[in-house]
Amino acid sequence: MKKKLALFLTALFVTGAVTGCGKNTQTTSSNGGAETIKIGLDYELSGQVATYGQSLVQGIELAFEEINKAGGVLGKQIEPVKVDNKSEPAEAANVASKLVTRDKVVAILGPATSGNTKGAAPVAIQNKVPLISASATADDVTVDSNGKVREFIFKTCFSDSFQGVIMANFAYQDLGKKNAVLLVDSSSDYSKGLSKSFKETFEKFGGKVLSEEAYQSKDTNFKAVLTNIKGLNPDVIYLPGYYEEVGLIIKQARELGINIPILGGDGYESPKLVELAGKSALNEVYFTNHYSSKDTSSEVVNFQKAFKDKYNKEPDAFNALGYDLAYFCVDALKRAGEADPIKLKDAIASTKDFKGVTGIITIDENHNPIKSITILQMKDGEQIFLKKLDAK
């Protein structure tokens, strides 16, 4: 009797284990049995660069709301799963792990910065879930140090090398500046990447880089390095960085009488920049960006209206990037035909001529977008559209 009971319990355990494994595998691979399609949002909702993550999520949530009202995708509603990575690479990895293992998301959107995206990427790759960032501009986000494409990692924003080249060209050709100083955040891959491409291009034109000065993230007093820069007598400063430090640097530079043009990248895009620097200090400041509110295309006009109706404020570039990212992901889901991470990855990789608010996107062989870039000027605290250039 005991032997029969033992055999029965063993059979029951094996049957339960097989059934349990089968159910988990199906849910993980396709999300097909669920009533909704879960998409993870791994974003900086607190911490040092929180305004980036918050703005991106606002754009994403607006887009998903519109998509769900229109019937969703593949006959299901989108269920965003939003988690704060606290602006830290290690936490971005933890969030990614929770999203794929606990929440069974079909894709991860985010993080906002290059460092945090690179923190989350290994988790996405290991679990074979596509991760798409709308703002991680570092060149090595989608391609590793050996030149190998990271199969499940994508971005919908231009790369740092493109930003640096464009701004070096602008400094030398448009502004007529010949002697530059680079002021670089030595703790940021983003800042170092932009500086490298700016320097190479500027020197190819015939410009001279007088010095490469450094600061670190979370510094607040920049008077010593700025005094050194003033003594070099440059006619332009290239300052690629994030708004928290950039705002203070520009403010302190103007206080020291450094009134030459200051140039930068999309890290300047935050309402806090004006708060930190002050309106008048930002005159003669130029930066590359993904979007301009002055664009009169129907996509931009319709987006601005929808955003203002929901949030009662003007959208910024990160709002627009998030909005595009959500629609980009859903476009790929439609072409994939089902909420399967592998099929979705293949559909993302084959994206061609996706039309969004921030431009037309075609994904290249390195999982980067071929899209346009905008140059903006600050004037009395307001962004002024200067030009829009296409990638070549």
Side-chain angles (χ1 to χ4, degrees):
M1 185 68 184
K2 287 182 180 179
K3 186 175 181 181
K4 288 182 178 179
L5 180 61
L7 288 170
F8 172 75
L9 291 173
T10 300
L12 184 65
F13 172 77
V14 170
T15 302
V18 170
T19 303
C21 287
K23 184 177 180 181
N24 186 60
T25 302
Q26 182 183 14
T27 304
T28 301
S29 66
S30 68
N31 208 3
E35 295 180 0
T36 61
I37 295 174
K38 290 183 179 181
I39 296 178
L41 309 186
D42 184 345
Y43 277 108
E44 297 82 340
L45 304 179
S46 66
Q48 190 179 8
V49 290
T51 69
Y52 297 154
Q54 291 164 4
S55 288
L56 283 154
V57 167
Q58 284 180 331
I60 291 167
E61 290 180 332
L62 171 60
F64 283 158
E65 184 180 290
E66 292 176 351
I67 291 163
N68 284 337
K69 281 183 179 178
V73 59
L74 303 176
K76 298 179 181 181
Q77 295 282 285
I78 297 291
E79 181 184 346
V81 183
K82 178 173 62 175
V83 187
D84 180 14
N85 65 37
K86 303 176 184 177
S87 299
E88 297 291 342
E91 188 61 23
N94 291 336
V95 168
S97 181
K98 290 174 185 175
L99 288 171
V100 297
T101 60
R102 180 190 65 189
D103 298 300
K104 313 298 183 187
V105 300
V106 72
I108 298 172
L109 307 186
T113 67
S114 297
N116 294 335
T117 299
K118 286 187 277 189
V123 176
I125 294 167
Q126 182 180 354
N127 289 275
K128 297 184 177 180
V129 173
L131 179 150
I132 324 166
S133 176
S135 50
T137 55
D139 289 47
D140 60 351
V141 166
T142 61
V143 180
D144 67 21
S145 58
N146 296 317
K148 184 180 179 182
V149 177
R150 295 186 168 104
E151 187 179 4
F152 285 85
I153 310 302
F154 301 85
K155 61 186 181 187
T156 57
C157 56
F158 47 67
S159 296
D160 290 342
S161 55
F162 187 41
Q163 290 198 77
V165 167
I166 291 297
M167 198 46 86
N169 181 78
F170 178 76
Y172 193 89
Q173 304 286 11
D174 293 59
L175 298 181
K177 305 305 180 183
K178 303 296 187 290
N179 297 294
V181 166
L182 310 184
L183 183 48
V184 186
D185 180 351
S186 60
S187 62
S188 166
D189 290 342
Y190 167 79
S191 187
K192 290 185 286 188
L194 267 74
S195 296
K196 181 176 182 291
S197 58
F198 178 94
K199 180 183 179 182
E200 289 173 353
T201 305
F202 192 70
E203 291 180 335
K204 282 180 182 176
F205 280 126
K208 185 176 182 181
V209 174
L210 302 175
S211 178
E212 296 181 53
E213 303 291 332
Y215 68 93
Q216 287 196 329
S217 173
K218 299 182 182 179
D219 285 350
T220 57
N221 189 328
F222 307 93
K223 293 289 179 71
V225 69
L226 288 169
T227 298
N228 186 39
I229 289 173
K230 185 177 181 181
L232 294 169
N233 197 32
D235 53 20
V236 66
I237 295 172
Y238 188 54
L239 171 63
Y242 297 133
Y243 63 88
E244 289 284 0
E245 291 80 25
V246 165
L248 295 176
I249 290 171
I250 293 173
K251 182 176 187 291
Q252 292 171 27
R254 300 313 191 208
E255 288 172 350
L256 288 172
I258 301 174
N259 296 315
I260 58 176
I262 297 177
L263 283 52
D266 63 322
Y268 286 30
E269 177 61 45
S270 171
K272 284 188 172 290
L273 182 68
V274 178
E275 295 176 23
L276 291 165
K279 292 181 180 181
S280 61
L282 291 170
N283 290 332
E284 287 297 303
V285 169
Y286 306 84
F287 64 99
T288 42
N289 209 357
H290 308 267
Y291 155 93
S292 170
S293 60
K294 308 300 181 184
D295 195 325
T296 57
S297 70
S298 60
E299 289 79 16
V300 172
V301 171
N302 293 336
F303 161 68
Q304 288 176 328
K305 183 181 185 306
F307 189 91
K308 284 186 277 190
D309 287 346
K310 180 173 175 62
Y311 296 109
N312 196 33
K313 65 177 183 177
E314 295 286 342
D316 62 26
F318 285 92
N319 296 140
L321 286 168
Y323 186 82
D324 275 356
L325 177 58
Y327 271 102
F328 177 89
C329 182
V330 168
D331 172 74
L333 272 169
K334 289 178 183 176
R335 289 183 285 109
E338 62 178 293
D340 175 80
I342 305 297
K343 291 181 179 179
L344 177 58
K345 178 262 296 182
D346 292 338
I348 294 168
S350 66
T351 299
K352 185 176 181 181
D353 296 333
F354 169 82
K355 196 170 187 180
V357 173
T358 61
I360 297 172
I361 297 172
T362 293
I363 297 298
D364 68 14
E365 66 277 7
N366 292 324
H367 291 183
N368 295 318
I370 302 169
K371 66 184 294 192
S372 59
I373 189 169
T374 297
I375 298 178
L376 301 176
Q377 176 184 0
M378 295 299 296
K379 189 172 183 180
D380 298 327
E382 299 292 329
Q383 293 181 6
I384 306 298
F385 173 77
L386 289 186
K387 61 169 66 177
K388 191 172 185 176
L389 302 167
D390 292 326
K392 295 179 181 179

